[in-house]
Amino acid sequence: DAKTTQPPSMDCAEGRAANLPCNHSTISGNEYVYWYRQIHSQGPQYIIHGLKNNETNEMASLIITEDRKSSTLILPHATLRDTAVYYCIVGRSQGNLIFGKGTKLSVKP
Amino acid sequence: ETGVTQTPRHLVMGMTNKKSLKCEQHLGHNAMYWYKQSAKKPLELMFVYSLEERVENNSVPSRFSPECPNSSHLFLHLHTLQPEDSALYLCASSQDENRAPYGYTFGSGTRLTVV
């Protein structure tokens, strides 16, 4: 079973920040938080991962709470092409990633 | 292109046919995976290969038979499938690294329809 909880769907206006929450209250000390997204009929795409500290790359920012029980993926300026299902996954460095149902993000004009 | 190439993109096969799905990566990764994605279901991990050895088989029926001849290629051989096996089959690869996590790179998948 997936060890994360995400809202099934969210809407975001184009150009605004999209903040996608994820709860992972049973995360272990050696487990990372990964985010992937899947655009319709394509394979999932890796976005970002983190352990304790907040992380940022060219695609997104990842904010992890101090107790590590939840995190938020931030797309700073959402575009229509960011419409996708976003998956939050926890796993060990060599763990096999178990995908849940994710959050379907719809970016609207 | 992600660096992981899957062929064919689409496949229609009868229940008595034998076919194979192919996955190829030239990213220097040592681990490869097969996932199944049925309509309205989460991705299901089917098989894991690390350094060409199968390290996990998630209770997959024997009508699915994986093969990993080298670290760059992964096959999924199919025979006597059922209509409920119709799904998107995704291949992924990753560096098999003990010391640090790496994201998976997925292919675009093979859309399989069993008739």
Side-chain angles (χ1 to χ4, degrees):
Chain A
D1 291 337
K3 295 186 270 188
T4 63
T5 304
Q6 297 176 255
S9 63
M10 290 183 63
D11 290 342
C12 178
E14 187 179 19
R16 303 296 295 269
N19 298 293
L20 293 98
C22 179
N23 288 323
H24 32 79
S25 58
T26 60
I27 191 170
S28 302
N30 61 352
E31 288 184 316
Y32 290 77
V33 180
Y34 295 85
W35 282 85
Y36 284 76
R37 73 179 182 183
Q38 187 173 22
I39 297 171
H40 183 63
S41 294
Q42 296 182 23
Q45 176 191 22
Y46 165 81
I47 301 173
I48 199 168
H49 74 271
L51 182 64
K52 295 181 182 178
N53 300 321
N54 299 336
E55 303 287 343
T56 295
N57 62 22
E58 64 279 3
M59 290 183 69
S61 294
L62 174 60
I63 308 298
I64 303 175
T65 58
E66 193 169 343
D67 63 8
R68 304 212 319 127
K69 293 186 177 182
S70 65
S71 61
T72 301
L73 179 76
I74 301 172
L75 309 178
H77 304 287
T79 71
L80 298 179
R81 286 183 293 183
D82 292 321
T83 292
V85 178
Y86 286 77
Y87 298 99
C88 168
I89 305 159
V90 298
R92 291 172 288 114
S93 61
Q94 270 197 307
N96 302 320
L97 301 185
I98 307 298
F99 288 75
K101 296 183 178 179
T103 296
K104 183 174 183 179
L105 175 68
S106 299
V107 181
K108 301 183 183 297
Chain B
E1 286 297 327
T2 65
V4 177
T5 303
Q6 289 189 244
T7 54
R9 291 296 306 273
H10 301 274
L11 177 63
V12 179
M13 61 185 288
M15 288 189 284
T16 58
N17 291 158
K18 287 186 180 181
K19 295 286 184 184
S20 295
L21 309 185
K22 179 182 177 181
C23 177
E24 185 172 356
Q25 60 92 7
H26 295 288
L27 300 170
H29 291 171
N30 292 322
M32 297 186 78
Y33 313 81
W34 279 116
Y35 280 85
K36 174 185 178 183
Q37 188 171 35
S38 304
K40 311 235 183 249
K41 286 188 179 179
L43 278 80
E44 302 169 56
L45 179 64
M46 299 175 72
F47 300 104
V48 180
Y49 275 83
S50 177
L51 297 171
E52 302 155 40
E53 288 193 16
R54 191 190 312 180
V55 296
E56 189 157 336
N57 174 350
N58 276 0
S59 302
V60 180
S62 59
R63 57 186 183 268
F64 295 92
S65 174
E67 178 191 4
C68 188
N70 54 63
S71 59
S72 299
H73 294 86
L74 184 66
F75 295 90
L76 187 63
H77 303 301
L78 315 171
H79 64 97
T80 59
L81 294 193
Q82 304 298 312
E84 58 264 29
D85 296 321
S86 298
L88 180 68
Y89 288 85
L90 289 156
C91 172
S93 70
S94 71
Q95 287 187 282
D96 189 18
E97 175 56 65
N98 284 316
R99 293 182 295 278
Y102 290 92
Y104 289 16
T105 302
F106 281 85
S108 298
T110 294
R111 174 70 61 186
L112 174 68
T113 303
V114 181
V115 297

